[in-house]
Amino acid sequence: MQLYYKPGACSLASHILLRETEERFELVKVDTESGQTESGDAYRDVNARGYVPALRLGSGDVLTESLSILQYIADQAPHTALAPTAGTVKRARLEEVLSFLASEVHKAFSPFFSGVTLGEPGAEPHEAKLRNRLGLLAGFMTDGRPYLLGEQYSLADAYAFTVLNWAGFIGLNLADWPALAGLHGRVSERPAVQAALKAEGLVQ
């Protein structure tokens, strides 16, 4: 398989999961500004929408969109328990959390990668929305659970780690949400996460 990625982008979650499942894969770095892969190929020939991630399977099929890719990877390795069994309430809970992460939390970070700077004039409504969504995400963990679905680490935590990691890039302190800071810290210690971060040049 080939994972098309941009360092630190949402593709990091798929990268982490591939390492968690010990799948064999190749990383293909994408410059989304120029629209080219590191070898100079046109990325829109892989994903017409031009953003990451994309996952080319051994069959030649190409999957796009994070939620689709994450669940596909997890379902290929059921022994890892990264995703509950399809058709169960637990799987529906996973999809509930994933939907909130993608449509609310991920989206709330977007302005800060499109010209808005935290703390500068005009940023206030965007910061307020982001803080609200992070508070709601922390609400999934009000019972003291270590991970978003409970005691078991899942693909939702890999995705949440990726999104929460952006707080550091924009200068937002996760300490305001202890449950999320704890989640980020726990996930960051996983060997697969450290390996993915190093491979993308995000840590030494």
Side-chain angles (χ1 to χ4, degrees), residues 98-109:
L98 290 177
S99 294
F100 182 76
L101 279 165
S103 65
E104 298 296 337
V105 186
H106 185 156
K107 189 175 179 180
F109 271 100

Side-chain angles (χ1 to χ4, degrees), residues 3-4 6 10 64 79 82 85 111-112 152 183 190:
L3 177 67
Y4 293 82
K6 179 178 179 178
C10 57
T64 61
H79 63 283
L82 289 166
T85 304
F112 298 98
Q152 177 65 44
L183 174 67
R190 297 181 69 84

Side-chain angles (χ1 to χ4, degrees), residues 21-190:
T21 59
E22 300 183 341
E23 288 280 358
R24 295 178 61 187
F25 68 98
E26 174 188 354
L27 286 171
V28 181
K29 190 176 180 179
V30 177
D31 182 338
T32 53
E33 297 298 321
S34 69
Q36 293 184 317
T37 67
E38 57 191 334
S39 60
D41 295 330
Y43 180 56
R44 287 187 183 274
D45 290 342
V46 177
N47 181 0
R49 291 180 292 283
Y51 51 74
V52 294
L55 183 67
R56 188 187 299 277
L57 308 181
S59 63
D61 291 313
V62 176
L63 296 177
T64 61
E65 304 299 330
S66 288
L67 303 195
S68 172
I69 293 171
L70 290 169
Q71 292 182 84
Y72 176 82
I73 294 169
D75 286 340
Q76 301 313 298
H79 63 283
T80 62
L82 289 166
T85 304
T88 63
V89 172
K90 287 184 178 180
R91 183 58 171 256
R93 291 297 185 197
L94 169 67
E95 293 169 356
E96 179 181 37
V97 173
L98 290 177
S99 294
F100 182 76
L101 279 165
S103 65
E104 298 296 337
V105 186
H106 185 156
K107 189 175 179 180
F109 271 100
S110 297
F112 298 98
F113 294 106
S114 303
V116 175
T117 301
L118 200 69
E120 292 193 355
E124 293 87 351
H126 300 292
E127 181 179 352
K129 182 175 182 179
L130 176 56
R131 285 181 169 278
N132 172 266
R133 297 306 188 267
L134 289 172
L136 293 173
L137 179 62
F140 284 96
M141 306 177 71
T142 54
D143 59 0
R145 62 183 61 184
Y147 298 108
L148 285 168
L149 296 186
E151 296 296 322
Q152 177 65 44
Y153 172 78
S154 75
L155 66 90
D157 302 300
Y159 185 23
F161 170 83
T162 297
V163 175
L164 293 173
N165 215 41
W166 299 337
F169 291 106
I170 70 169
L172 184 67
N173 193 343
L174 287 178
D176 290 344
W177 302 274
L180 299 183
L183 174 67
H184 183 268
R186 279 187 291 278
V187 176
S188 71
E189 295 173 355
R190 297 181 69 84

